[in-house]
Amino acid sequence: MEELAIKGGKPVRETVLHFVPLEADMTEEEINAVLEVYRSRKLSQLVSEKINEFEEAFAKYYGVEYAIAVNSGTAALHVALAAAGIGPANDVILPPYTFMATANAILHQSSVLNFADVNPKTYNLDPSDMEKRITKKTKAVIPVHMLGQSADMDAIMEVARRHNLVVVEDSAQANGATYKGRKVGTFGDLGCFSFYLNKHMTTGGEGGMIITHDEKLAKRVRSIANHCRVDVSPYPNVPAHNVYWGIGYNYRMTAPQAAMGLVQLRRLDSFIEKRRRNAEYLTRHLKEIEGIEPPYIRNDVKHVYWAYGALVIQERVGISRDSFAEALLAEGIHAEGYCPIPVHLQDAIKNKVGYGDTHFPFDNPLHGEKVSHHRGLCPNAEKLSSQDLLLPVYQSLTEKDLKDVVVALKKVAENVSKLK
Ligand SMILES: Cc1ncc(COP(=O)(O)O)c(C=O)c1O
């Protein structure tokens, strides 16, 4: 039997393969589209039609009325909450198995974090636990479509509507995913997307989008992301761009970003299909490895695999997820847990690090209720954070890359006795 690389043996591959891409999947078409905008010198929203064009194409892809481009997924979440009127007197429900940005967007509105647990099979917000966590101050919920699989949107929308909650879908990892045939981001009041480098499509390394069916929300999002400028000036001698109605931000996307987004959007479905084929390959082979569980896929969704979220069941494999990942890395496969510290247990949140030297908005007289973020608050997410193992599945992987992943997994699994 071959010696494990971590014990001095030959690794499965010399160059490390990462669980998410470190380079954009782009062609000369994207580069030319961006250069064309640079050559025009019309680089920003005020002077370029590119951003509108990208927004229209994105709205069409999603079958929604409105899409507003911004400069990150975090900005998208923040401006969505701001537009929905979420503030310090409210709390917002979120799952702790997510990226920190989901929580930060809530904190940026000085609102209170209200964590609800996830379903251990799908890794997504559990609608029944969500309902149990609702307080008198709860005004919104952010279901996150983790790793590319839709949350249970029928059940979430049913609870949300019964309790009058605004629903902001965090679709950062699920661009193009569907639930019962309908695309994610179109169920809630607002849907938010990220075009960061390692997402399904990128707008030049950073970028984001908000979609909605609601004209009023769309107008508010567009204005808040542009300094809260008014549409029409109420003053006869002052133009609209010099009149501001609230606390605004500069979250605008640039024209070169939009130009790249337009090309990437046309390629999105083919990216997704390749990811799904890669995932099928991994699932076929993972079934042969004791204790490494392929992700559970609901039968009513189209999973778009931002990453392939396997589980390492320590009792069956014989070693912890972290030890397994360490041995895999030595073999040339970089696989990780998604959030080894679930969001509610992050130092920033446990220590209530707030604005200035206060603990606001964690201790928040406008909200009034004492909240505590402690171990045991969301047991499923806590367990998941020690078991999940994200494997590469992205479209630019070669057949050899995928084969290496499987060979390395099998090699480590068959040799765990040497790691104990
Ligand atoms: C679930 C989730 N929400 C929000 C974000 C924030 O997106 P961005 O990095 O574009 O700000 C990301 C991605 O990074 C994410 O994975």
Side-chain angles (χ1 to χ4, degrees):
M1 209 182 281
E2 246 190 293
E3 181 86 86
L4 288 174
I6 200 167
K7 295 286 180 191
K10 190 173 169 319
V12 170
R13 53 187 286 145
E14 295 296 337
T15 51
V16 172
L17 183 67
H18 290 270
F19 70 99
V20 284
L22 301 181
E23 289 178 359
D25 182 350
M26 57 188 237
T27 60
E28 285 302 303
E29 200 185 344
E30 279 89 337
I31 294 169
N32 289 334
V34 170
L35 285 179
E36 192 189 313
V37 176
Y38 276 116
R39 291 198 177 100
S40 77
R41 268 90 179 150
K42 295 191 189 322
L43 302 184
S44 60
Q45 224 168 55
L46 185 67
V47 289
S48 173
E49 275 306 305
K50 275 291 163 206
I51 297 129
N52 283 347
E53 242 182 86
F54 180 40
E55 288 172 343
E56 276 170 26
F58 202 83
K60 190 164 171 225
Y61 180 81
Y62 273 89
V64 293
E65 202 81 19
Y66 308 99
I68 302 100
V70 290
N71 50 26
S72 73
T74 310
L77 287 168
H78 179 210
V79 74
L81 293 174
I86 308 304
N90 310 125
D91 60 65
V92 178
I93 294 181
L94 76 162
Y97 185 76
T98 183
F99 184 50
M100 192 67 182
T102 317
N104 280 336
I106 298 167
L107 297 170
H108 291 160
Q109 275 311 101
S110 297
S111 198
V112 170
L113 304 175
N114 183 351
F115 291 99
D117 211 352
V118 296
N119 175 316
K121 276 162 84 178
T122 63
Y123 319 157
N124 282 324
L125 185 66
D126 171 357
S128 59
D129 197 56
M130 162 193 158
E131 183 156 27
K132 287 187 203 134
R133 310 271 177 155
I134 294 170
T135 72
K136 283 198 211 72
K137 303 293 172 80
T138 308
K139 189 163 174 183
V141 56
I142 310 186
V144 187
H145 307 299
M146 277 306 292
L147 309 184
Q149 173 160 234
S150 174
D152 186 357
M153 288 315 294
D154 276 355
I156 289 170
M157 291 308 296
E158 192 275 320
V159 175
R161 290 302 174 236
R162 217 159 8 87
H163 293 271
N164 249 328
L165 307 184
V166 173
V167 179
V168 175
E169 289 178 70
D170 183 339
S171 313
Q173 297 180 6
N175 197 354
T178 67
Y179 172 84
K180 299 190 177 171
R182 179 169 155 190
K183 288 200 173 85
V184 301
T186 65
F187 292 87
D189 299 283
L190 298 132
C192 298
F193 296 85
S194 163
F195 305 130
Y196 177 64
L197 175 74
N198 70 26
K199 295 300 192 297
H200 294 79
M201 55 171 270
T202 187
T203 48
E206 302 283 357
M209 188 76 82
I210 302 101
I211 60 173
T212 180
H213 306 283
D214 184 315
E215 184 184 2
K216 207 164 139 222
L217 280 175
K219 275 194 170 153
R220 279 175 66 86
V221 166
R222 192 174 290 290
S223 173
I224 294 169
N226 184 20
H227 304 289
C228 273
R229 288 194 159 105
V230 297
D231 264 355
V232 183
S233 173
Y235 305 103
N237 301 320
V238 186
H241 65 261
N242 278 336
V243 183
Y244 310 92
W245 61 267
I247 303 172
Y249 305 87
N250 177 358
Y251 284 160
R252 296 178 307 238
M253 180 176 272
T254 67
Q257 283 179 299
M260 179 173 291
L262 274 163
V263 182
Q264 288 264 294
L265 182 61
R266 287 199 289 274
R267 301 178 62 205
L268 177 61
D269 284 341
S270 69
F271 291 163
I272 290 170
E273 283 322 305
K274 182 79 195 310
R275 283 168 182 262
R276 286 168 57 79
R277 282 203 300 279
N278 290 348
E280 277 168 25
Y281 176 90
L282 291 178
T283 298
R284 240 184 355 260
H285 290 281
L286 253 65
K287 285 185 177 146
E288 300 156 5
I289 307 174
E290 170 58 18
I292 308 290
E293 291 277 324
Y296 167 85
I297 315 296
R298 292 173 60 102
N299 59 16
D300 51 7
V301 303
K302 179 175 176 181
H303 196 314
V304 293
Y305 296 99
W306 173 68
Y308 186 93
L311 291 178
V312 179
I313 311 297
Q314 182 165 355
E315 301 75 39
R316 281 165 49 206
V317 178
I319 54 172
S320 70
R321 186 271 317 277
D322 291 342
S323 304
F324 198 95
E326 202 188 343
L328 268 184
L329 184 58
E331 300 298 340
I333 305 298
H334 176 209
E336 286 190 347
Y338 180 70
C339 51
I341 307 174
V343 173
H344 66 296
L345 299 177
Q346 285 291 339
D347 287 352
I349 287 169
K350 266 193 327 192
N351 300 336
K352 302 185 174 182
V353 181
Y355 289 102
D357 57 2
T358 74
H359 293 302
F360 182 84
F362 298 96
D363 293 337
N364 181 342
L366 292 165
H367 181 269
E369 285 173 41
K370 202 102 200 113
V371 286
S372 143
H373 305 304
H374 52 84
R375 189 164 286 283
L377 187 67
C378 295
N380 293 339
E382 289 163 26
K383 185 165 179 203
L384 180 58
S385 68
S386 67
Q387 289 187 325
D388 65 333
L389 184 74
L390 302 200
L391 298 171
V393 72
Y394 41 96
Q395 68 269 7
S396 53
L397 295 178
T398 63
E399 261 179 55
K400 158 97 174 51
D401 293 333
L402 277 173
K403 206 166 147 234
D404 285 347
V405 175
V406 171
V407 170
L409 284 166
K410 286 187 174 168
K411 188 177 168 191
V412 175
E414 284 163 14
N415 286 284
V416 280
S417 58
K418 296 178 192 142
L419 292 170
K420 284 185 190 163

